[in-house]
Amino acid sequence: MSHARQQIRDRIITTLTGLTTTGSKVYNTRLYSLVPNANLPCLLVYTNDEASEREYGSPSTYKRMCVVSIEGIAEGNTSIENTLDTISGEVEDALGADPNLNGKAIEITLTSTEVEITAESEKPIGLIRLNYDVLYYTRATNSQTPII
């Protein structure tokens, strides 16, 4: 079985697959340079830092807070800001409808949004990054099973 953190990412990917703007183009990676422009717009889902705090008892558990980033990427054009806002709205609404990630987490909270426009790739692209804090617990002896 996979680590609870991977299960959280997988659940987020499942929740976000099929949105109107990005469809099935949802990837479990942060390497958008590997995603060809033909696959835009798309979503990238990945985890960043995680803080853990041991809670003693019988059995002892870890209270974990990981940061999950969801990047919406679209080809740059005159309406790129609107496209990025549409992607953001679809992601926020979908995750808002699944606040405990189908039992994988205690809660998921949007903490920040960042927007970038870049011409570093073959064609200009826009990126919107939604950062979520995900609170979950695991037993100290079992990192694969989230505790709700």
Side-chain angles (χ1 to χ4, degrees), residues 26-142:
V26 183
Y27 306 101
N28 188 5
T29 182
R30 68 181 70 216
L31 301 174
Y32 67 84
S33 62
L34 298 179
V35 179
N37 280 348
N39 289 334
L40 300 180
C42 71
L43 294 173
L44 309 180
V45 179
Y46 55 90
T47 49
N48 286 305
D49 297 332
E50 178 176 280
S52 301
E53 180 180 326
R54 190 152 186 175
E55 295 187 347
Y56 294 94
S58 182
S60 66
T61 60
Y62 281 108
K63 176 182 179 182
R64 300 172 182 256
M65 179 73 74
C66 74
V67 178
V68 176
S69 294
I70 300 159
E71 291 185 0
I73 303 174
E75 191 172 327
N77 56 39
T78 57
S79 62
I80 188 63
E81 297 279 346
N82 293 340
T83 301
L84 295 176
D85 285 338
T86 298
I87 291 170
S88 176
E90 291 173 3
V91 168
E92 291 177 44
D93 293 350
L95 291 177
D98 190 12
N100 73 352
L101 301 175
N102 198 38
K104 301 292 182 199
I106 301 298
E107 66 181 359
I108 181 169
T109 306
L110 178 64
T111 57
S112 66
T113 304
E114 306 162 41
V115 178
E116 297 176 30
I117 308 293
T118 181
E120 292 177 17
S121 63
E122 198 174 290
K123 296 181 181 179
I125 60 169
L127 177 146
I128 190 157
R129 182 179 303 111
L130 302 146
N131 296 304
Y132 283 86
D133 280 350
V134 181
L135 173 64
Y136 70 104
Y137 288 82
T138 61
R139 297 207 192 292
T141 58
N142 183 353

